[in-house]
Amino acid sequence: IFLFFIFTSLFSCQPVEILDEVIFDNNLLTKININAEQKYINEIYEINYVDPYIDHSIKHTPLSRIKNWLDQNINIFGTQNKLTINIIDASLTRIERKNDSKKKYEENTEFFYEMHYILEFLLHDDNDLILATTIVEAKHSTTSGKFISLNEKEKIINTLILDTLIDVSLKSKELLKEYMFEFML
């Protein structure tokens, strides 16, 4: 009996896996400077409350993350022009699907997560004539097992949002340099 208690106590002292937290720091993302006097951010995207959309169920939604990045990292300077940024899509979906993996011991079903951002940048002059426009789109996806911990689920979702945010920030700078180069620093 004494050996049983020693074995049980040693076995229960196994290290616990601690998942690293995903850090959202806008200072690490792309910064863009555009010659405009005013900046407007329009939320055209409306959060869906039906399956497969899950962006409404998390603490910091993808919409709030992209708005935060646009507020902090899209900088304006100058005394003319107006920059309008339309957030067309900021959706996060989760679909339960059959696991097509050929591995013998994996679960039969898995969750497929997909994050999608679409932004429209419009630069108007003071007479509301469009000087330049571009649409930026970024999409990332990942899968997970059906039976995972809440912490692991949160990490998967936050990593997916962060990767898509990094991608949309890089693509925004690239496309704005291509189509609005004369209005940028």
Side-chain angles (χ1 to χ4, degrees):
I1 293 177
F2 182 68
L3 289 173
F4 175 72
F5 284 120
I6 290 175
F7 178 72
T8 305
S9 65
L10 288 175
F11 185 72
S12 66
C13 293
Q14 296 295 322
V16 176
E17 180 184 357
I18 298 175
L19 299 173
D20 294 333
E21 187 177 338
V22 178
I23 306 295
F24 286 89
D25 185 3
N26 286 329
N27 292 324
L28 302 175
L29 298 174
T30 305
K31 294 186 185 294
I32 301 170
N33 297 311
I34 297 178
N35 184 4
E37 183 179 14
Q38 300 168 334
K39 174 175 70 172
Y40 299 104
I41 300 173
N42 296 326
E43 298 175 28
I44 295 174
Y45 174 70
E46 294 182 15
I47 294 177
N48 290 307
Y49 296 98
V50 295
D51 282 341
Y53 296 95
I54 63 167
D55 44 314
H56 64 279
S57 66
I58 57 179
K59 184 176 181 180
H60 298 288
T61 65
L63 182 60
S64 67
R65 297 284 187 196
I66 194 74
K67 278 179 49 182
N68 195 11
W69 174 72
L70 292 170
D71 281 338
Q72 292 183 10
N73 291 40
I74 305 293
N75 301 313
I76 57 172
F77 64 92
T79 58
Q80 58 185 4
N81 302 332
K82 176 175 66 172
L83 177 66
T84 303
I85 305 167
N86 296 320
I87 304 172
I88 298 171
D89 193 3
S91 61
L92 176 63
T93 59
R94 180 182 72 185
I95 299 171
E96 185 176 339
R97 67 182 189 184
K98 184 179 178 195
N99 187 354
D100 293 332
S101 176
K102 303 294 183 203
K103 293 182 181 176
K104 208 178 200 184
Y105 299 106
E106 288 195 13
E107 300 172 14
N108 292 334
T109 58
E110 66 183 2
F111 284 127
F112 175 76
Y113 295 92
E114 186 173 61
M115 180 66 229
H116 195 215
Y117 279 127
I118 300 176
L119 301 175
E120 179 183 36
F121 291 88
L122 298 163
L123 188 66
H124 299 267
D125 66 6
D126 292 335
N127 295 323
D128 270 348
L129 297 174
I130 296 176
L131 300 172
T133 183
T134 188
I135 294 179
V136 180
E137 183 174 358
K139 184 189 295 189
H140 279 266
S141 62
T142 190
T143 60
S144 77
K146 186 174 179 180
F147 302 107
I148 59 173
S149 69
L150 292 175
N151 286 338
E152 192 173 353
K153 176 186 170 190
E154 184 178 335
K155 182 179 180 189
I156 288 169
I157 289 172
N158 284 336
T159 302
L160 184 62
I161 293 170
L162 181 61
D163 289 345
T164 314
L165 193 58
I166 290 169
D167 195 27
V168 80
S169 71
L170 292 171
K171 285 184 180 180
S172 294
K173 185 162 190 166
E174 175 187 327
L175 289 173
L176 289 172
K177 275 187 177 181
E178 184 175 340
Y179 296 107
M180 295 185 191
F181 64 93
E182 58 201 43
F183 303 102
M184 294 181 63
L185 275 182

